[in-house]
Every structure is written in structure tokens, then in C-alpha cells.
Amino acid sequence: MKLKMLLTGLLLMTGMQAPATEFDNGSDEFEPRPLPHYSEAELQKQIENEMAVACSGNLCKIVGQDSHGSGWTVQFQVGYGRANGGTGDTIYIGDYRDNNDNKGFASITVSYKNYKCHSSMLVTPAVYRFVNTYLYNMVNSDGSVKRNFSPADQTVILFYTTMLNKVNSCGTGLN
């Protein structure tokens, strides 16, 4: 009996709540707010200020990468004939110096390298202004990204990504 009364009470409480449908208004905290918009003059002024730092002469640094580190490289070689040798300290097992090129050999090359790498892409001021104007227009003034990109926007994104990949050649420097 108690269970029946509890279930009836829950059913009444649930029935008294007004269900929200997709056509009802929700709370105003999720209402879209009008975003402040930068004027073209404000954008160009910002780009001009950045160009004063990024440009030297007729070239502007548009993307760059700095990396550094160190690491070990170990190479193993086994074969017949003359050993090729590596770029580090090589330990030969067997007589590779013999004039007989049909002799077998085995070698281990161990090397340790420190590296520092700086890579940047320099472009003309016109390309710098072009890319940054499009990139600034892809970001709303509150920092959020536009939801839809035009084909021109997509082309600039692809162009910028290609530039990023070009300077991504620093790697580990352990070749």
C-alpha cells in the first residue's frame, strides 16, 4: 500500500511539472548575444601595428618555429662487402678492411646529437596583410571562431596551413 501511495505521489509530482518542448523558450543565459564587430579600419590598424614588429625591410615573418633538444641514434649494419660506416662512432665486428669484398661484416654506430633549430617563413608585406586580414575576419571579436567559412576563407586556411607545414621541417635533427 505504501509503495502504491509513493508511486502515485511521484506520478502527481511529475505530472505537475511543465515539460519543455522544442518550441518553448529556455532561460536567457543561452540566448545568442550580438557580437561586437571590429571595423575594417580597426582591423587594418591592428595588422599595421603587428607589421611594425614582424617586418624588416620588405619581408615579414608570418610563421616560425623554434625547437631544441638532444637524442641518441643507434644504427645496425649487417652484410657482405664493404661496410658503409655511419655518422658516429662505429664498432666493427669482423675484418671489414680486408680487400676481399665478399667477407661478411656487422657494425653498430652510436651517435648523440644536440640540436637547435629556428625556422621561419618570410613573405612580402602584401601577403602578410592579405593572410592576416582574412584570419582576423574568421575570429569574432569575443574570441570565438566563425561557424561557417566561405570558399575564400577556406582557401586562406589551406594557404596558411601549407606555410605552417613548410616551417615544420625542424624535426629532431637526428638524421
Side-chain angles (χ1 to χ4, degrees):
M1 187 68 173
K2 284 185 179 184
L3 181 63
K4 194 175 195 182
M5 287 176 35
L6 180 64
L7 289 175
T8 306
L10 283 174
L11 183 61
L12 284 174
M13 288 173 42
T14 317
M16 288 183 195
Q17 294 178 356
T21 67
E22 63 184 305
F23 302 108
D24 290 339
N25 290 331
S27 66
D28 62 347
E29 68 182 279
F30 297 109
E31 290 295 319
R33 295 183 189 115
L35 297 173
H37 186 70
Y38 290 124
S39 70
E40 185 64 27
E42 290 171 325
L43 280 179
Q44 292 306 319
K45 181 64 177 162
Q46 178 68 26
I47 293 170
E48 194 72 36
N49 292 340
E50 291 175 7
M51 287 177 69
V53 175
C55 298
S56 176
N58 195 34
L59 293 176
C60 302
K61 179 180 174 182
I62 195 159
V63 292
Q65 174 183 332
D66 292 323
S67 62
H68 65 283
S70 59
W72 290 93
T73 302
V74 178
Q75 297 172 336
F76 298 96
Q77 295 181 14
V78 177
Y80 287 97
R82 291 216 170 269
N84 292 331
T87 59
D89 294 328
T90 303
I91 303 165
Y92 292 100
I93 303 164
D95 189 10
Y96 83 99
R97 291 178 190 88
D98 190 1
N99 288 335
N100 184 356
D101 285 341
N102 293 328
K103 237 179 165 178
F105 72 90
S107 69
I108 300 171
T109 303
V110 180
S111 59
Y112 179 80
K113 293 184 181 179
N114 285 318
Y115 67 92
K116 286 186 179 181
C117 180
H118 172 76
S119 179
S120 62
M121 176 167 284
L122 302 175
V123 296
T124 63
V127 173
Y128 185 91
R129 186 178 297 277
F130 161 75
V131 170
N132 280 304
T133 300
Y134 267 94
L135 292 178
Y136 270 116
N137 281 316
M138 289 182 212
V139 178
N140 296 319
S141 56
D142 69 342
S144 64
V145 180
K146 277 184 6 183
R147 291 184 179 262
N148 298 316
F149 296 127
S150 70
D153 292 339
Q154 293 173 14
T155 303
V156 172
I157 292 170
L158 182 61
F159 179 63
Y160 190 73
T161 305
T162 302
M163 289 189 292
L164 287 172
N165 286 334
K166 292 295 181 185
V167 298
N168 197 12
S169 61
C170 286
T172 61
L174 301 173
N175 293 327

